Amino acid sequence: MSFPALQTHHGAKTSIMVLFIVFLCVLDAFFTLELISRGARELNPLMDYYLKKGDMTFFVVKYLMTSACLFIVLSIKELSLFGNRISRRLLLLSFIGFMGAVVQWELYLLS
């Protein structure tokens, strides 16, 4: 699968990070649904609301929210927060770290 517009505008490394974040988002959604089927509950009230609407609604909203965040991050070169400049790359790496930790925690709960 190729995303030429993403690669041309942002470069291969950024494209790989974005695709990896989407992959982690999808894993998180599947693991969350599996944990729910085993008796766990969703602690995020917003996602719990959509989970009650159905599995597909939950999955689509989770994917769209992640995609919207990625679109915003890709639209900026750097962010100024409390007087500190934060690069797009650092934001994407932070998302990967956070989502990676969530997926690891879910794997732990599933084992």
Side-chain angles (χ1 to χ4, degrees):
M1 183 180 326
S2 178
F3 297 92
L6 184 61
Q7 289 176 359
T8 303
H9 189 69
H10 293 289
K13 289 180 184 178
T14 300
S15 299
I16 290 168
M17 287 192 285
V18 167
L19 292 174
F20 191 59
I21 292 167
V22 171
F23 173 72
L24 289 171
C25 168
V26 171
L27 276 181
D28 174 36
F30 282 120
F31 291 158
T32 298
L33 292 172
E34 179 60 28
L35 287 164
I36 296 295
S37 75
R38 295 182 184 191
R41 59 179 247 247
E42 175 62 61
L43 297 178
N44 178 335
L46 179 65
M47 294 313 297
D48 186 53
Y49 171 81
Y50 289 111
L51 189 58
K52 290 175 182 170
K53 299 286 184 188
D55 292 355
M56 187 54 75
T57 301
F58 168 80
F59 182 82
V60 168
V61 168
K62 185 168 198 56
Y63 177 78
L64 289 175
M65 287 176 63
T66 300
S67 297
C69 288
L70 288 171
F71 178 77
I72 292 168
V73 169
L74 291 173
S75 297
I76 59 172
K77 193 169 193 170
E78 65 181 28
L79 175 71
S80 183
L81 187 64
F82 303 114
N84 299 312
R85 289 182 172 175
I86 303 171
S87 69
R88 175 189 309 136
R89 183 175 186 272
L90 182 59
L91 287 171
L92 292 173
L93 288 172
S94 298
F95 281 135
I96 289 171
F98 177 76
M99 291 300 298
V102 168
V103 168
Q104 283 184 332
W105 177 247
E106 290 169 327
L107 285 170
Y108 170 78
L109 293 174
L110 286 167
S111 63

